[in-house]
């Protein structure tokens, strides 16, 4: 009985610390979840004359992957994206963040291009509009152009199977209103 | 002497600020900007403020804050710009909301629990029963002993 209270205090602390261990402090909840994707219009990486913007994201479930040729973790997730692109389950669009055009094009040539199109965000302004803070980041956007999920850090096979694909399937079921 | 020089050199080095020099059209704006970047968290190196961080993103965000302040907006509007994009996390002083209530009130709750614990302990100690009264026999023995010792 004498030791009961200290013991309970100890157990409570252990529980809190254990929960703390499972949390990733780098994962900052995005304020955009459930909100329309921020407006943007940028030149494409491959074709400078053409632009890429919100209109292309309307009417379909899509992924917007923020990447750069200088980003090490992007290389890590790249095979996963390539595989996803081959399966043709969901269109993947790229946002090339603070990169150089030649380097970006070289990267796509060397490792393969999983993107329908990549937008070229040279100064990172659109990245800031989208709340990007650590490349790679991947946004899941629904048919209405609303952001439904954000993956910060590389898309791994596990993230794809457990989070992204189930969500994409669910969003595909939603009707396009208007 | 040599060590003294090296040491003072190090001290000087520490004093050099990483933040770039910004020009404002009035001192008030400068003050606003400087206050703000100390209150905002860099998302890349999370334990550094925008003012302290050398990260690329911190630099870009300082640029944003600078142009917002320069355009004549106040501190709240500039902070809101970042909160809209990165969430409350960018504020070193998060607003009091339901989700942050534990953060704000938790320490006071713990203080109350601690205080009530100490108060209860103190009360218990003060009301602890006194030593039992001596019996008639014991008192006689005590008296006897005292006489024996000549008191």
């Amino acid at each position: 009985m004498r030791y009961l209270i200290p013991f309970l205090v100890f157990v409570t602390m252990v529980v809190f610390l254990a929960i703390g261990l499972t949390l990733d402090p780098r994962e900052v909840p995005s304020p955009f979840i459930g909100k329309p994707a921020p407006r943007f219009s940028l030149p494409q990486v491959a074709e400078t004359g053409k632009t890429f913007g919100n209109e292309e994201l309307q009417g379909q479930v899509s992924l917007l992957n923020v990447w750069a040729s200088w980003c090490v973790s992007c290389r890590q997730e790249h095979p996963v994206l390539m595989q996803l692109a081959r399966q043709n389950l969901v269109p993947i669009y790229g946002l090339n963040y603070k990169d150089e055009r030649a380097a970006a094009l070289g990267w796509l040539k060397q490792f393969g291009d999983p993107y329908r199109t990549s937008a070229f965000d040279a100064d990172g302004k659109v990245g800031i509009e989208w709340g990007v803070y650590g490349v790679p980041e991947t946004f899941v956007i629904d048919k209405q152009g609303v952001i439904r999920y954000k993956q910060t850090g590389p898309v791994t096979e596990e993230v794809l199977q457990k989070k992204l694909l189930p969500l994409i399937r669910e969003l595909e079921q939603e009707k396009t209103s208007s | 002497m040599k060590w003294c020089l090296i040491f003072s050199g190090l001290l000087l080095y520490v004093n050099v600020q990483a933040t770039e020099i910004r020009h404002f059209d009035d001192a008030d704006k400068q003050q606003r900007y400087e206050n703000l970047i100390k209150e905002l968290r860099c998302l890349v190196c999370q334990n550094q403020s925008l003012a302290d961080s050398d990260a690329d993103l911190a630099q870009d965000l300082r640029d944003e804050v600078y142009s917002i302040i320069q355009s004549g907006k106040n501190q709240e509007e500039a902070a809101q710009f970042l909160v809209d994009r990165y969430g409350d996390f960018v504020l070193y002083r998060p607003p009091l909301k339901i989700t942050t209530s534990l953060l704000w009130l938790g320490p006071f709750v713990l203080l109350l629990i601690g205080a009530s614990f100490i108060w209860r302990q103190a009360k218990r100690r003060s009301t602890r029963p006194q030593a039992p009264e001596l019996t008639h026999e014991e008192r006689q023995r005590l008296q006897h002993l005292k006489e024996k010792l000549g008191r």
Side-chain angles (χ1 to χ4, degrees), chain A residues 18-63:
Chain A
I19 294 171
L21 277 180
T22 65
L23 299 175
D24 181 2
R26 298 210 63 84
E27 226 163 86
V28 180
S30 172
F32 287 114
I33 308 299
K35 294 210 182 110
R39 314 276 333 155
F40 74 103
S41 179
L42 284 171
Q44 299 185 2
V45 172
E47 290 170 85
T48 334
K50 287 189 185 167
T51 58
F52 178 78
N54 300 71
E55 304 76 42
E56 274 84 355
L57 301 173
Q58 289 287 337
Q60 58 177 353
V61 179
S62 58
L63 294 185

Side-chain angles (χ1 to χ4, degrees), chain B residues 1-10:
Chain B
M1 188 59 207
K2 195 175 123 199
W3 284 110
C4 190
L5 270 175
I6 292 173
F7 184 67
S8 51
L10 281 174

Side-chain angles (χ1 to χ4, degrees), chain A residues 5 16 25-32 35 70 97-98 123-125 127-134, chain B residues 43-46 56-57 59-61 63-64 67 81-90 102 117 120:
Chain A
I5 290 174
F16 271 91
R26 298 210 63 84
E27 226 163 86
V28 180
S30 172
F32 287 114
K35 294 210 182 110
W70 47 261
Y97 178 72
K98 296 196 86 173
D123 56 6
K125 290 265 185 210
I128 290 177
E129 286 303 315
W130 282 66
V132 170
Y133 64 92
Chain B
L43 288 117
V44 183
C45 346
Q46 297 181 346
D56 223 25
L57 182 69
Q59 171 118 38
D60 290 352
L61 293 179
D63 287 342
E64 291 291 331
S67 51
F81 173 87
L82 288 177
V83 169
D84 286 344
R85 282 156 189 78
Y86 295 97
D88 289 334
F89 190 77
V90 292
L102 191 64
F117 178 74
R120 278 222 329 261

Side-chain angles (χ1 to χ4, degrees), chain B residues 3-4 23 25 27 34 40-41 49 96 100-101 105 117 119 139:
Chain B
W3 284 110
C4 190
H23 296 284
D25 24 87
E34 274 163 19
L40 294 168
R41 189 200 298 267
S49 68
L96 182 54
T100 58
S101 56
L105 305 175
F117 178 74
W119 187 70
R139 229 174 292 150

Side-chain angles (χ1 to χ4, degrees), chain B residues 95-113:
Chain B
L96 182 54
K97 285 182 178 176
I98 294 169
T99 47
T100 58
S101 56
L102 191 64
L103 189 66
W104 279 100
L105 305 175
F108 297 106
V109 172
L110 285 179
L111 188 71
L112 272 179
I113 292 173

